[in-house]
Amino acid sequence: MEETVASGSDDARSAFNTAISSGADAYDIYAVDIAWMPSILAMPDSFMDLTDYLKGNDWLDWKVQGAKTADGKTIGAGNDIGPTALCYRSDLFAKAGLPTDRDQVAQMLGGDNATWDKYFEVGKQYTEKTGLPWYDAMGGIWSTMKTQLKEAYVKQDGTVVATGDKIKSLYDQLTATSEMSAHVSQWSDDWNAMFKADNGFATIMCPAWLVNNIKGNSGSDFKGWDIADVTPGGGSNQGGSWLVVPKTSKVQTEAAKLVAWLTAPEQQVATFKAASNYPSSPKAMKDPAVADKTDEFLNNAPTGKIFADRANAVKIVPYTGAQYYDIDSKFGDALGRVDVTKEQTPAQAWKQYVADVKALS
C-alpha cells in the first residue's frame, strides 16, 4: 500500500474531485474531511456501500449520519471527530490577574451555561487591562459559532438563509469584538508565531486535533498552555474525517476490509494516543488509553475526560448542503476583510458578502 499526502486541503480536494468525476487515476481509498462530505453524498453511486463491512465497528450516531445517503447506504467509515474545548495561556492569564486553574476558568466563562456574551465580556476586560489580544482571529471564533447552528446558511428545504437576521446578528456580535483579536490569518506564519509570543493571544477555540498544532508552534518544552472543559455557546464539533472507497477501485473488497480495520475502535485508540485525533467510536472513547489520557504539555490536563465531556456536549449537527461550503468561504472572506487586512468596515464587508452570496445562486 502506498499513501499520497497533498500539500493542502484545497489541492487534495481538487485532485479528488478530478479523479472521481473522470474515473481516471483514482486511488482505492481516500481520507476525506467534513468539508467534502456534502459533495460526496451528492454522488453516492460513485462510492462503495460499506455497510456490510462495518458491522463490527461502532460510532456516535451523528458521526454515522454524516456519511449516510438518503437511501440508507453508508459510504464513509468514520475516523476522528473534533470536540472543542478552550485552550488558554495560563501565563498570560496570571499576568492579567485571571484565574489559571482550569476548573475556575471554565466557571468564569459560565461552565455548562457558557455563552459568547460572557466569553467576550471577560475578553474585553482582559484586553483593556493588558492591551493584548484575547483570541487569535474572528475566523477561528466563527468556526466554533457556526457549528452551533442547525441551519447556518441553507435550510434543509433548500432555502438560503445566509444573509438572514440570525447570521447578521452573530456577524455583528463578532465584528464588534475587533479590539480583542490578534488580527492574524489562521495557519499563517504570523499565526504560528503567536502561540509562544509574549504578546500572543490568550485563548483559542480548541478542537482535539488542534493540540498537536499548539505543541508544534509553541515547542514541546513551552510552559503556559492549558485547557478548560468549556465551550462558549454550547458543544461544538469542528472537523472529522471518513474513509471512502471509489467504485473505480479494482480491489474494492480488499479496500473495504482495510477501511473497516483502519476505523475499528482499536485503531482509533492508537491514533488518539499518537496524534490527539479524538475517536468517533464510543468503545474507543471508553478505552483507558483514551478516557484516562493526560497531556503533560497542557499542564497534565486530563484531556481524555475533557474531550469526552466536550463530545457529549455536542447537541447540534449542522445541515451542510451542497451550497454550505461555498457560502462559508464567502463569510470567512468577509471576516478576513474586517479582521486581518482591515480593508473594510463591518458594514462594507457585509454588503459585499450579501452580493457574493447572491452571485452564487
Side-chain angles (χ1 to χ4, degrees):
M1 182 180 68
E2 179 182 350
E3 69 174 22
T4 300
V5 180
S7 59
S9 180
D10 288 342
D11 290 341
R13 188 176 185 181
S14 177
F16 171 81
N17 287 336
T18 299
I20 298 302
S21 62
S22 68
D25 299 322
Y27 296 111
D28 297 306
I29 298 172
Y30 280 92
V32 301
D33 74 16
I34 195 170
W36 302 18
M37 288 310 294
S39 60
I40 290 173
L41 290 170
M43 47 181 178
D45 293 341
S46 296
F47 300 93
M48 280 190 69
D49 179 5
L50 301 171
T51 303
D52 290 341
Y53 297 91
L54 303 178
K55 292 179 179 178
N57 294 9
D58 71 325
W59 290 278
L60 293 167
D61 288 343
W62 55 265
K63 182 68 173 181
V64 174
Q65 292 305 313
K68 192 176 283 285
T69 65
D71 58 356
K73 297 176 183 176
T74 299
I75 59 175
N79 281 325
D80 61 317
I81 52 176
T84 303
L86 181 81
C87 285
Y88 64 98
R89 287 275 299 270
S90 62
D91 55 331
L92 297 180
F93 270 39
K95 290 179 181 179
L98 294 178
T100 58
D101 175 81
R102 62 181 68 97
D103 291 335
Q104 293 179 5
V105 170
Q107 289 306 309
M108 174 179 67
L109 298 176
D112 291 339
N113 298 310
T115 64
W116 289 108
D117 283 339
K118 186 63 177 179
Y119 172 76
F120 292 134
E121 177 189 320
V122 175
K124 183 177 181 180
Q125 296 169 359
Y126 173 85
T127 297
E128 287 179 348
K129 184 170 185 177
T130 65
L132 299 176
W134 176 238
Y135 63 80
D136 59 329
M138 290 181 190
I141 301 297
W142 181 245
S143 291
T144 302
M145 278 184 162
K146 70 187 180 186
T147 66
Q148 297 167 340
L149 301 174
K150 179 63 178 177
E151 296 172 321
Y153 303 122
V154 184
K155 299 183 73 171
Q156 294 186 56
D157 65 5
T159 304
V160 176
V161 292
T163 58
D165 292 343
K166 181 180 290 187
I167 293 294
K168 182 59 162 60
S169 177
L170 291 172
Y171 174 86
D172 289 343
Q173 180 185 28
L174 183 50
T175 55
T177 68
S178 180
E179 75 279 2
M180 304 177 204
S181 174
H183 305 297
V184 290
S185 178
Q186 287 193 309
W187 314 110
S188 67
D189 290 342
D190 289 341
W191 183 77
N192 292 338
M194 293 198 79
F195 280 87
K196 61 181 178 181
D198 291 338
N199 63 343
F201 42 82
T203 68
I204 188 169
M205 297 300 126
C206 195
W209 48 263
L210 188 69
V211 171
N212 271 357
N213 297 94
I214 297 175
K215 290 179 183 178
N217 289 328
S218 303
S220 58
D221 58 347
F222 183 84
K223 302 298 181 184
W225 280 104
D226 208 321
I227 185 170
D229 188 355
V230 66
T231 315
S236 166
N237 176 66
Q238 292 189 62
S241 60
W242 288 264
L243 298 182
V244 300
V245 178
K247 283 190 176 177
T248 53
S249 171
K250 296 179 181 179
V251 288
Q252 291 184 36
T253 299
E254 290 80 1
K257 289 179 179 178
L258 178 57
V259 162
W261 183 85
L262 288 171
T263 57
E266 296 77 11
Q267 276 59 256
Q268 293 199 31
V269 169
T271 300
F272 182 65
K273 289 167 63 177
S276 295
N277 292 63
Y278 194 74
S280 57
S281 157
K283 182 178 179 180
M285 293 177 191
K286 295 176 183 177
D287 190 289
V290 176
D292 299 336
K293 183 180 179 180
T294 60
D295 196 314
E296 182 179 2
F297 174 79
L298 295 173
N299 193 27
N300 295 311
T303 49
K305 179 182 184 304
I306 287 173
F307 286 123
D309 289 346
R310 292 300 90 209
N312 289 328
V314 174
K315 305 302 181 186
I316 292 176
V317 180
Y319 171 68
T320 54
Q323 297 168 287
Y324 182 94
Y325 288 99
D326 288 336
I327 296 174
D328 186 55
S329 177
K330 298 302 183 184
F331 194 93
D333 291 344
L335 291 178
R337 294 191 297 271
V338 174
D339 183 36
V340 180
T341 64
K342 303 179 185 178
E343 63 192 276
Q344 291 181 330
T345 66
Q348 290 169 335
W350 178 261
K351 183 177 180 180
Q352 183 174 333
Y353 164 70
V354 171
D356 287 344
V357 171
K358 186 176 181 179
L360 290 172
S361 59

